[in-house]
Amino acid sequence: MRSELADLERSDEQLMTRVRGGDQTAFAELMRRHVNSVHTYLVRLTRSSSDAEDLTQETFLRVWRKAHTYRPGRVKVSTWLHRIGHNLCVDQFRKHRELTNFTLTDIPSDAVDQLDQQAARETRKRLETAISTLPENQRAAILLCQVQGFANAQAAEIMGLNVRALESLLARARRTLRAQVLLDEDDAR
Amino acid sequence: MREDMNEAAFTDGLDRWGSDLTSWPTQELGAARTLREVSADARRQLAAAQRLDSLLSSLPEVPANPALPQQALSLLGERNLLDRFFEWFFVALWRPVLAAVLPLLIGFVVGTSTALEDDLFTEELSLLAIALEAPNVEEDGDEF
């Protein structure tokens, strides 16, 4: 498993080398591998499907245009991609401080409807809502570490923070989620 | 290596590093495992953290619009030879160019400021020489 992951990372870097040389086939393959992961992160961070679509597209266009700035071996390709997406999202937050109210309909219903039990669906809905009400930086930290599966150091790199600052955000986010989701879950029983 | 840990520190660790104790810093790990063995409260906290982490990890992926990759590909501009030359130039050459130009700039600035000081010094010397050679008109009083 670990060696498969290492192979994937190595081949991601090989793809990036070809993308730097202007190879559109390599770019398409890189996008195929990472588009859903980047989109999932951005849809939960922005709380809007349409914004996430635009930002995902812009992320990959930047990858194409800025491919020459990627330094193989310094950061993983997936970390670099998420960092570009994260920065675009932060720029958008700065431009439009007042965000539209988030509703779960913004996340495609088929993703949520995969749940087959009512209670689990309710818990997940509460969790999605609780995540959406976290402050932006706490939301980004918990999504990167716990949903996207990045290690704390990588998530800190994506957010442009030091690891201690990231851990502080994670601690606050987890405390809030625990209080909002697990206590509600206990009450519901 | 940390020797002991109380429940509050354990909960704080769960919030910072998650419910998978193997991902905790090594200096905290031993004390955390010991506390987990002896404290029912710590085990309760750990179970709650595991439940939350498991819920978070099980959130479904939200796939992008299948047409999005094709749209992005259609927006790619061909990078022509000139674009690629500029990319290469600005990425590969700006540091050596700066290293070459900086001493020139410093030399120019130092040279210009020194030349100015020399001029002022020469001017002062000339004025002093004139002043020493000129007749003392006030003492003679014949000029008026």
Side-chain angles (χ1 to χ4, degrees), chain A residues 13-14 16-17 20 67 69-77:
Chain A
E13 295 203 343
Q14 286 163 356
M16 271 309 297
T17 308
R20 285 170 67 155
T69 63
Y70 177 73
R71 294 281 167 272
R74 212 171 135 202
V75 288
K76 289 180 189 169
V77 174

Side-chain angles (χ1 to χ4, degrees), chain B residues 29-112:
Chain B
L29 190 54
R33 280 179 171 153
T34 307
L35 185 70
R36 183 185 57 183
E37 297 303 315
V38 298
S39 164
D41 189 37
R43 285 195 293 277
R44 209 166 27 251
Q45 290 296 337
L46 178 62
Q50 283 169 337
R51 169 82 182 128
L52 179 64
D53 285 354
S54 139
L55 282 171
L56 285 164
S57 311
S58 66
L59 285 177
E61 190 171 71
V62 187
N65 178 349
L68 192 143
Q70 201 51 48
Q71 284 167 8
L73 280 169
S74 69
L75 291 172
L76 299 184
E78 278 288 344
R79 286 181 298 188
N80 62 29
L81 211 57
L82 195 65
D83 289 341
R84 286 167 68 181
F85 169 75
F86 279 118
E87 280 173 10
W88 169 80
F89 180 83
F90 286 115
V91 171
L93 278 191
W94 74 267
R95 286 188 182 90
V97 166
L98 182 69
V101 166
L102 205 59
L104 279 176
L105 275 176
I106 292 170
F108 179 75
V109 171
V110 170
T112 314

Side-chain angles (χ1 to χ4, degrees), chain A residues 1-184:
Chain A
M1 182 70 181
R2 193 175 286 261
S3 78
E4 278 175 24
L5 203 62
D7 287 347
L8 193 68
E9 283 161 13
R10 217 174 9 253
S11 65
D12 271 353
E13 295 203 343
Q14 286 163 356
L15 282 177
M16 271 309 297
T17 308
R18 286 167 54 196
V19 171
R20 285 170 67 155
D23 184 339
Q24 292 198 5
T25 314
F27 178 74
E29 172 60 17
L30 191 77
M31 202 162 28
R32 188 192 63 74
R33 286 184 188 186
H34 296 283
V35 71
N36 287 341
S37 171
V38 171
H39 180 262
T40 299
Y41 174 59
L42 292 176
V43 82
R44 291 210 164 89
L45 194 59
T46 59
R47 306 178 290 190
S48 155
S49 287
S50 61
D51 284 352
E53 292 272 320
D54 292 345
L55 289 170
T56 305
Q57 181 168 296
E58 184 54 30
T59 299
F60 282 95
L61 291 177
R62 290 243 173 141
V63 167
W64 175 255
R65 287 197 295 264
K66 304 277 178 187
H68 60 278
T69 63
Y70 177 73
R71 294 281 167 272
R74 212 171 135 202
V75 288
K76 289 180 189 169
V77 174
S78 59
T79 306
W80 189 62
L81 289 173
H82 279 79
R83 179 163 191 165
I84 293 173
H86 177 86
N87 288 343
L88 285 169
C89 198
V90 169
D91 287 345
Q92 194 184 56
F93 284 154
R94 284 194 190 124
K95 279 184 202 151
H96 313 285
R97 276 323 304 184
E98 68 297 344
L99 291 162
T100 50
N101 284 336
F102 171 74
T103 56
L104 276 176
T105 53
D106 278 332
I107 291 180
S109 57
D110 56 341
V112 177
D113 285 346
Q114 286 167 358
L115 294 166
D116 49 3
Q117 292 179 356
Q118 180 68 23
R121 192 158 46 228
E122 286 300 314
T123 302
R124 185 153 307 166
K125 196 172 173 183
R126 268 201 308 277
L127 180 62
E128 295 268 19
T129 307
I131 291 171
S132 77
T133 56
L134 288 172
E136 288 148 17
N137 52 6
Q138 291 182 32
R139 191 160 71 242
I142 201 78
L143 288 174
L144 287 169
C145 293
Q146 214 58 53
V147 182
Q148 302 296 113
F150 286 103
N152 288 8
Q154 289 172 300
E157 170 85 35
I158 291 168
M159 293 181 70
L161 300 172
N162 64 46
V163 176
R164 285 188 71 85
L166 175 100
E167 287 172 356
S168 174
L169 291 173
L170 278 176
R172 278 182 275 159
R174 281 199 179 100
R175 274 197 289 271
T176 305
L177 294 180
R178 208 169 46 232
Q180 289 188 6
V181 179
L182 297 189
L183 292 184
D184 286 354

